[in-house]
Amino acid sequence: MHISDPRIVAKLGEIHVELRHSAALAGLTSLGIGGTTDLLRIKKHESLPDLLSLLDANHIPHKFLGGGSNLLVGDGELPWVVLQLVRPQPDVVLDGNLAHIDAAADLGRIITFCAKNDLGGMEGLIGVPGTVGGALRMNAGAYGMQIGSYVREVKLYRAAGRKIEVLRGNQISFEYRHTSFAPDDMMLAVILELPSKSYKEILQGIRICNEKRRSSQPLGQKSAGCIFKNPPGASAGRMIDELGLKGLSVGDARISDRHANFFVNAGHASAKDMLALIADVRERVQKSFAVSLENEVVVWNA
Ligand code: EPU
């Protein structure tokens, strides 16, 4: 979608929103898949109510992009614009055991920064790509921990009330790869309350998780992490593996040889290829195990 009306372009400048025409979303997602659309980069959280009113008044649909690491975007010219926060400097401030973090901050960098300041708890998430906001929205988890356990407070833009709000941790429900945030809520900032641990101890935990991840997941390849959620009491990866599907491909969309719940872009895969592979695997698992796999990856199909 292309914003060409000069009045809208001028207004975006006034409210500190940078407009990038025809951004290639393939370059903004870890899968390296996705078509083009205009990208609106938000420099000030406070502009959001004005920005959303402007888009609504001009019937311009939009989506919020985080780090693009758990996302499959459709091909071609996309029928909505994309909103993304510009990361401020600094993006984290510590106050005792509280870490005040901007949603656009890189998750891995924040875990390392906190570790160096003797704040731990998030060792399991090391190696998970993406922003803190994205991890929060999905309640990212690994190796027995989840980010939701540490949330003290979240600042977010709530599309329903069209305003910026602050929620306490106990007002939000964090479940397995699911939260009570509305789909059109935009994470802006979070306060995490992290346990005190020595840097040495945290580093040891980080090394163990890194090692486990390196040995079981295709880290160097373009992927969106796990494609399907694990059904209760089972592992989607193990089921797909048991069906002998590692290496199965549609075009350049391919099931990883290392972990069967990781589908990689082995070259120039299109969203169409990846969606066909996902549908095929879902059908096979349904037939063999009578289990309906639910997507973990978020799909923005045109
Ligand atoms: N397994 C296989 N073959 C495979 C993959 C896994 O047999 O191809 C077996 C493993 O040997 C193991 C079991 O299945 O016995 C579980 O595998 P793993 O430990 O890799 O965990 P997972 O359930 O597949 C989950 C999360 C990952 C997270 C890891 C580590 C989901 C969907 N996946 O994977 O999260 O990193 O545990 O905690 O919850 C993600 O969210 O994108 C993600 C990758």
Side-chain angles (χ1 to χ4, degrees):
M1 176 161 238
H2 190 66
I3 298 179
S4 51
D5 184 332
R7 284 169 310 150
I8 302 176
V9 175
K11 179 72 186 168
L12 288 173
E14 279 169 34
I15 59 173
H16 310 284
V17 174
E18 180 200 346
L19 170 60
R20 288 194 189 164
H21 285 301
S22 300
L25 293 197
L28 299 176
T29 62
S30 58
L31 259 175
I33 294 176
T36 55
T37 190
D38 282 1
L39 178 67
L40 302 177
R41 305 211 345 122
I42 300 152
K43 295 179 200 157
K44 287 193 172 152
H45 294 167
E46 291 64 34
S47 329
L48 270 162
D50 282 346
L51 172 60
L52 273 298
S53 299
L54 180 69
L55 297 179
D56 282 354
N58 291 283
H59 311 289
I60 301 172
H62 65 273
K63 293 193 182 288
F64 295 123
L65 177 69
S69 59
N70 191 39
L71 186 62
L72 171 55
V73 181
D75 303 311
E77 175 68 31
L78 302 162
W80 21 259
V81 297
V82 166
L83 275 44
Q84 191 177 38
L85 297 175
V86 172
R87 188 164 61 84
Q89 268 314 339
D91 55 5
V92 54
V93 174
L94 299 181
D95 169 16
N97 287 66
L98 302 181
H100 298 247
I101 312 166
D102 192 87
D106 178 79
L107 179 64
R109 229 185 50 80
I110 292 298
I111 296 173
T112 314
F113 176 83
C114 291
K116 284 182 182 159
N117 288 278
D118 299 322
L119 293 176
M122 302 225 288
E123 294 84 333
L125 287 178
I126 200 76
V128 172
T131 60
V132 169
L136 194 61
R137 152 164 290 293
M138 288 293 297
N139 190 21
Y143 305 115
M145 61 78 52
Q146 53 181 28
I147 191 169
S149 316
Y150 300 105
V151 172
R152 170 86 166 245
E153 205 172 280
V154 174
K155 179 181 162 199
L156 73 173
Y157 173 78
R158 302 213 98 167
R162 292 174 174 240
K163 59 177 193 224
I164 292 174
E165 287 180 28
V166 173
L167 296 179
R168 286 190 310 278
N170 61 12
Q171 294 176 288
I172 308 159
S173 101
F174 290 100
E175 291 150 46
Y176 166 66
R177 302 295 193 275
H178 181 80
T179 59
S180 52
F181 298 120
D184 51 4
D185 283 345
M186 186 175 196
M187 306 297 110
L188 300 178
V190 61
I191 303 177
L192 298 180
E193 185 167 7
L194 299 170
S196 298
K197 278 192 194 178
S198 72
Y199 181 42
K200 205 174 146 203
E201 192 189 345
I202 302 169
L203 211 54
Q204 207 172 2
I206 286 180
R207 284 208 183 106
I208 293 169
C209 293
N210 257 336
E211 192 44 50
K212 281 193 199 160
R213 205 179 282 283
R214 252 198 304 271
S215 64
S216 63
Q217 300 181 359
L219 300 187
Q221 287 177 283
K222 290 183 190 166
S223 85
C226 285
I227 286 287
F228 300 110
K229 290 184 187 177
N230 282 339
S235 158
R238 182 183 288 157
M239 288 192 282
I240 301 167
D241 194 0
E242 279 176 13
L243 293 178
L245 301 180
K246 279 180 170 169
L248 182 73
S249 56
V250 175
D252 278 338
R254 189 169 195 279
I255 301 182
S256 159
D257 293 319
R258 183 160 287 200
H259 195 299
N261 199 9
F262 278 66
F263 293 13
V264 301
N265 174 4
H268 298 96
S270 64
K272 197 164 163 252
D273 296 336
M274 195 55 84
L275 287 167
L277 187 61
I278 292 172
D280 185 12
V281 171
R282 182 179 287 117
E283 206 178 302
R284 291 182 197 230
V285 168
Q286 175 72 50
K287 261 194 196 141
S288 303
F289 296 96
V291 167
S292 174
L293 289 179
E294 205 184 312
N295 279 0
E296 211 250 291
V297 65
V298 175
V299 179
W300 289 356
N301 205 7

